[in-house]
């Protein structure tokens, strides 16, 4: 199949571009129906659907990559399937079986094959599975009907800088999640809760916010829509916290750090420890690795600087190159992270 010729793949930003098909499956009468293929961008929904009123909505984000061999590889699909199951349980929705998730994702990618960006452009196909309560309720209770949907869209880097260091701002005035809340699930409400603080950071010229733990504001939580990591003494250090999303990219970087002979620590990270890091970064499917150049703390007027002459640090660079080489099929997939979609 031919790749779309009209796109400027190298300069693609992270946004929605229409593709041709999406896959859908409805949960009614206590079970999942058949997977359907749709070419509509719209969802017919009852005005009293629980997703609209009570936030019964969860989503996922994963990517497909075109290799030098022209084959299409999807990264760690099974982990995203598992995380969507946790999110569904967390907000009382029907659980999508892994087989259904796999079929819906691989079918959506295959049907939109020509939108998978060419090898070597830095762009990829972003896959967005979505699970929403469609059943009508007026009392606060879970729906009995749900829709599971997968759409895809070609994307470039999430932060316009790409693999270049960004500046971020500590956010003490807002929390994206509560200490015992839904931060560890990928549910819509967490993102709604982050919008005001993100807009504030953008207005002040920062790429994103650095959230501290919502209970004490003592520990680092995460960096906007991405996890946070630091490097020091040949060790990859990343926060463990109940209010952050367990990132699949972070999990992969921890494995790659071990493969590179480093130590890994996943533990609470006090904000006061941050200045001692040699390198810091944000990581996620959309963000990949985004090195952090400066962390500005508006409450103390302190500025913490990282990176060598504004360039990404050596460990972040090594990890980034390793991750994208595996995803594109340039390096062997030693951990079984890839599934072919073609
Ligand atoms: N943290 C948040 C809040 C996110 O939205 C994401 C994106 O999915 C991540 C972290 C990174 O997770 P992953 O690497 O699985 O994409
Ligand atoms: C991702 O990295 O997949 C995300 O979901 C981040 C953001 C677009 C919500």
């Amino acid at each position: 199949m031919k790749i779309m010729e009209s796109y400027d793949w190298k300069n693609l930003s992270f946004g929605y571009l229409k593709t041709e098909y999406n896959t859908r499956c409805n949960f009614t009468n206590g079970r999942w129906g058949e997977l359907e293929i749709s070419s509509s961008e719209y969802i017919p929904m009852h005005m009293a659907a629980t997703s609209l009123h009570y936030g019964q909505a969860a989503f996922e984000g994963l990517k497909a990559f075109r290799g030098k061999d022209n084959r299409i590889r999807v990264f760690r699909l099974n982990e995203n399937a598992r995380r969507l199951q946790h999110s569904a349980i967390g907000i009382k929705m029907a659980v999508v079986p892994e087989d259904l998730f796999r079929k819906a994702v691989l079918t959506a990618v295959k049907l939109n094959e020509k939108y998978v960006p060419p090898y070597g452009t830095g762009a990829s196909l972003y896959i967005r599975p979505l699970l929403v309560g469609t059943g009508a309720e007026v009392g606060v209770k879970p729906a009995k009907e749900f829709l599971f949907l997968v759409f895809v869209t070609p994307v470039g880097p999430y932060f316009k800088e790409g693999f270049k260091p960004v500046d971020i701002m500590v956010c003490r005035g807002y929390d994206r999640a509560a200490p015992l809340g839904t931060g560890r699930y990928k549910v819509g409400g967490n993102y709604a809760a982050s919008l005001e603080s993100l807009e504030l950071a953008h207005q002040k010229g920062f790429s994103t916010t650095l959230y501290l733990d919502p209970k004490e504001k003592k520990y680092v939580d995460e960096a906007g829509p991405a996890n946070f990591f630091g490097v020091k003494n040949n060790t990859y250090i990343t926060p463990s916290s109940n209010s952050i999303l367990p990132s699949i990219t972070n999990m992969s970087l921890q494995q790659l750090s071990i493969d590179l002979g480093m130590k890994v620590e996943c533990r609470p990270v006090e904000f006061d420890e941050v200045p001692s890091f040699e390198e810091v970064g944000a990581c996620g499917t959309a963000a990949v690795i985004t090195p952090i150049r400066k962390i500005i703390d508006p409450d103390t007027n302190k500025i913490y600087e990282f990176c060598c002459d504004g360039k990404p640090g050596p460990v972040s660079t090594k990890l980034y190159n390793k991750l994208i080489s595996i995803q594109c099929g340039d390096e062997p997939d030693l951990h079984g992270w890839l599934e072919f979609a073609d």
Side-chain angles (χ1 to χ4, degrees):
M1 183 179 278
K2 279 195 128 168
I3 306 178
M4 291 294 286
E5 278 168 9
S6 52
Y7 288 161
D8 182 6
W9 296 109
K10 284 198 169 138
N11 293 309
L12 219 55
S13 59
F14 192 94
Y16 178 78
L17 279 174
K18 186 178 184 313
T19 54
E20 280 168 35
Y21 303 101
N22 55 80
T23 50
R24 302 172 178 211
C25 190
N26 284 291
F27 183 90
T28 43
N29 299 321
R31 59 183 186 84
W32 289 102
E34 290 298 311
L35 187 70
E36 291 164 23
I37 294 163
S38 171
S39 50
S40 168
E41 292 173 281
Y42 295 91
I43 310 173
M45 211 183 320
H46 196 287
M47 61 187 174
T50 60
S51 52
L52 300 177
H53 298 256
Y54 303 132
Q56 265 202 314
F59 66 98
E60 272 304 324
L62 63 163
K63 278 179 173 171
F65 303 84
R66 193 182 289 278
K68 211 185 266 175
D69 56 4
N70 225 14
R71 297 204 66 187
I72 299 166
R73 294 161 174 85
V74 181
F75 189 66
R76 306 201 77 171
L77 180 161
N78 56 334
E79 290 296 340
N80 291 88
R82 215 167 292 160
R83 192 169 64 188
L84 185 64
Q85 294 183 340
H86 288 145
S87 299
I89 293 165
I91 59 166
K92 298 283 170 199
M93 298 198 288
V95 169
V96 177
E98 187 172 327
D99 282 356
L100 172 58
F101 185 95
R102 171 170 292 103
K103 193 170 170 199
V105 166
L106 296 180
T107 306
V109 174
K110 173 80 187 149
L111 290 172
N112 294 293
E113 222 176 322
K114 64 180 177 196
Y115 296 94
V116 183
Y119 171 82
T121 54
S124 55
L125 189 74
Y126 185 70
I127 306 163
R128 172 56 66 86
L130 175 72
L131 174 63
V132 292
T134 48
E137 299 291 345
V138 178
V140 179
K141 57 179 131 166
K144 293 181 198 72
E145 282 101 42
F146 297 90
L147 168 69
F148 171 55
L149 177 153
V150 177
F151 74 77
V152 299
T153 189
V155 295
Y158 190 73
F159 296 112
K160 65 178 184 326
E161 290 82 353
F163 186 58
K164 296 212 189 81
V166 300
D167 297 343
I168 68 171
M169 185 185 98
V170 179
C171 172
R172 283 196 183 77
Y174 298 83
D175 295 314
R176 64 173 284 285
L180 299 174
T182 55
R184 62 192 189 281
Y185 306 127
K186 200 163 170 68
V187 298
N190 298 343
Y191 296 83
S194 74
L195 291 176
E196 200 175 334
S197 53
L198 277 179
E199 194 171 283
L200 198 73
H202 293 155
Q203 277 167 0
K204 293 188 173 178
F206 298 105
S207 296
T208 193
T209 43
L210 182 66
Y211 294 107
L212 303 183
D213 80 278
K215 193 171 181 186
E216 294 181 85
K217 298 274 185 275
K218 181 173 169 192
Y219 301 97
V220 177
D221 250 5
E222 54 186 336
N227 274 182
F228 176 90
F229 71 88
V231 174
K232 72 173 169 189
N233 304 330
N234 200 35
T235 308
Y236 177 97
I237 300 162
T238 191
S240 68
S241 159
N242 237 346
S243 44
I244 66 176
L245 189 76
S247 154
I248 294 158
T249 312
N250 194 352
M251 198 194 298
S252 310
L253 294 177
Q254 291 175 44
Q255 181 60 55
L256 295 179
S257 300
I258 292 169
D259 295 350
L260 289 170
M262 295 169 64
K263 285 186 280 215
V264 169
E265 291 175 11
C266 183
R267 57 165 168 82
V269 174
E270 282 192 27
F271 183 64
D272 286 348
E273 183 184 356
V274 168
S276 71
F277 290 135
E278 295 149 17
E279 298 175 34
V280 294
C283 64
T285 298
V288 194
I289 287 183
T290 302
I292 295 168
R293 181 177 62 173
K294 282 186 200 159
I295 300 177
I296 283 86
D297 187 341
D299 298 303
T300 59
N301 282 326
K302 283 200 176 136
I303 300 175
Y304 305 96
E305 278 206 59
F306 308 87
C307 302
C308 333
D309 303 324
K311 291 200 205 81
V315 175
S316 304
T317 305
K318 240 192 266 178
L319 287 171
Y320 178 86
N321 288 335
K322 189 105 192 141
L323 180 67
I324 59 166
S325 314
I326 294 171
Q327 290 173 327
C328 295
D330 289 341
E331 279 201 33
D333 175 24
L334 298 177
H335 301 290
W337 287 344
L338 300 166
E339 280 185 51
F340 289 105
D342 47 8

